Amino acid sequence: MTKVKTPIPKFKEMKKEGQKLRMVTAYDYQMAVLVDKTEIELILVGDSLGMVVLGLSGTNQVTLEDMIHHIRPVVKGAPNTVIVGDLPFGSYNVNAEQAVISANRLVKEGGCDCVKLEGGIHMADKVEAIVKAGIPVMAHIGLTPQTSSQLGGFKVQGKDLESAKRMIEEAKALEKAGAFAVVVECVPAQIGKRLSESIDIPTIGIGAGPDCDGQVLVTQDMIGMFDRFVPKFVKQYAKVGETIVKAFNEFAGEVQRQEFPGPEHCFAIKDEVLEKLY
Ligand code: KIV
């Protein structure tokens, strides 16, 4: 399979044609290389970096510098996949100018193809300004982890009439502002469907049901490497964490029992050279 990077305007056509978009996260070169070998169209260098890689309790302490540092190796590792750089908390919520400056940094210093930001109608002016500056924007509504304390925690969103209606208005406003896609996190499946029917740009769901135009998962969740907390919407496609722990334990045991390294792992020197050494 020869993979080519999907041009960003094609995502809207894919939605029209009923083709699903696939996105996973990556934060380093190694994982990016693996994703690039697959059909997955998009890699999100998400601010989930905070929990998954940096060991933080949430995403809000992640900085623009952290994001740039992790976007760079992902861009190197996956030249045939669209790379989305996540704008971290505090890098775009002041005003549109700050949002453009931060997006410019992710693209210029990190090398990503586009950026993602969280929020609805109140973020539409930032989306519009970044798009006008020439950078494609992916929006993110529903459960927005950066403002989860305002939402009352990590809860399913859009369960009552008022908030479901508001979310549909938000999706429309973000589309009007020029976003090329919108991540929809943690909403009832029926609302994921309604949202997807309400706009022409693709929705990419995470805990938003099967009728979104695409799906995204955090890689470490889906391969079973991050088990501090496994949300209901995650399907674990592998148990990589268990495999790694087993390998570490085998290594530790073999070293202790002096079974590793074996002769096949050793280098030799000629006897006559060795004799002269003493
Ligand atoms: O940061 C992230 O990984 C995300 C996904 C959960 C969509 O925003």
Side-chain angles (χ1 to χ4, degrees), residues 27 46-59 62:
Y27 317 96
D47 62 358
S48 46
L49 166 77
M51 281 106 84
V52 176
V53 177
L54 304 180
L56 303 172
S57 57
T59 58
V62 175

Side-chain angles (χ1 to χ4, degrees), residues 25 27 44 46-48 86 116 118 140 183 185 206 216 218:
T25 61
Y27 317 96
L44 169 65
D47 62 358
S48 46
D86 219 359
K116 178 171 86 60
E118 294 182 9
H140 183 158
V183 168
E185 180 164 352
I206 175 161
V216 53
V218 169

Side-chain angles (χ1 to χ4, degrees), residues 50 55 239:
K239 298 259 183 215

Side-chain angles (χ1 to χ4, degrees), residues 5-278:
K5 193 186 282 227
T6 310
I8 288 175
K10 176 123 195 283
F11 291 127
K12 201 169 165 181
E13 286 170 38
M14 285 174 68
K15 168 171 178 145
K16 239 186 187 163
E17 290 160 7
Q19 279 185 62
K20 297 283 188 187
L21 280 65
R22 287 81 46 101
M23 179 162 85
V24 293
T25 61
Y27 317 96
D28 62 32
Y29 175 79
Q30 203 81 58
M31 197 63 82
V33 167
L34 296 178
V35 180
D36 211 45
K37 289 179 199 278
T38 73
E39 290 179 2
I40 291 169
E41 291 91 1
L42 299 124
I43 291 179
L44 169 65
V45 187
D47 62 358
S48 46
L49 166 77
M51 281 106 84
V52 176
V53 177
L54 304 180
L56 303 172
S57 57
T59 58
N60 286 1
Q61 293 164 57
V62 175
T63 64
L64 260 183
E65 283 69 27
D66 291 332
M67 292 308 305
I68 292 164
H69 183 73
H70 286 269
I71 290 169
R72 277 187 187 143
V74 172
V75 168
K76 283 216 177 84
N80 304 307
T81 307
V82 173
I83 312 297
V84 188
D86 219 359
L87 283 164
F89 179 73
S91 71
Y92 60 94
N93 57 1
V94 176
N95 53 35
E97 189 185 337
Q98 186 210 21
V100 174
I101 291 170
S102 300
N104 278 343
R105 286 197 64 194
L106 291 193
V107 171
K108 205 173 173 64
E109 297 173 47
C112 55
D113 300 296
C114 52
V115 300
K116 178 171 86 60
L117 58 77
E118 294 182 9
I121 291 166
H122 55 294
M123 285 297 155
D125 62 325
K126 282 85 174 175
V127 171
E128 194 176 338
I130 299 171
V131 172
K132 275 194 181 143
I135 300 171
V137 178
M138 180 180 282
H140 183 158
I141 58 172
L143 172 57
T144 44
Q146 291 178 8
T147 45
S148 59
S149 47
Q150 222 172 30
L151 301 174
F154 284 78
K155 285 187 184 157
V156 179
Q157 301 295 308
K159 279 176 97 169
D160 59 78
L161 182 62
E162 197 193 323
S163 67
K165 270 186 176 167
R166 194 179 55 241
M167 216 180 292
I168 292 174
E169 291 316 310
E170 284 179 340
K172 287 183 178 168
L174 292 161
E175 175 177 38
K176 192 158 170 255
F180 75 89
V182 54
V183 168
V184 180
E185 180 164 352
C186 249
V187 303
Q190 299 93 324
I191 299 301
K193 184 171 190 295
R194 284 292 182 91
L195 278 169
S196 306
E197 289 166 352
S198 307
I199 52 176
D200 290 330
I201 56 171
T203 56
I204 305 182
I206 175 161
D211 295 306
C212 289
D213 306 302
Q215 296 292 329
V216 53
L217 282 176
V218 169
T219 291
Q220 276 73 0
D221 286 342
M222 64 168 284
I223 65 171
M225 262 187 82
F226 185 77
D227 53 11
R228 224 163 71 190
F229 171 66
V230 183
K232 175 181 163 68
F233 54 74
V234 169
K235 177 170 176 183
Q236 278 190 340
Y237 288 84
K239 298 259 183 215
V240 172
E242 280 178 24
T243 306
I244 292 174
V245 170
K246 185 167 171 282
F248 286 154
N249 276 330
E250 275 180 36
F251 166 74
E254 288 193 3
V255 170
Q256 188 63 35
R257 294 189 299 274
Q258 298 184 37
E259 292 167 7
F260 176 83
E264 69 276 29
H265 305 115
C266 294
F267 304 101
I269 186 172
K270 286 195 180 107
D271 285 346
E272 60 263 34
V273 180
L274 197 58
E275 276 157 19
K276 286 187 190 138
L277 196 60
Y278 306 105

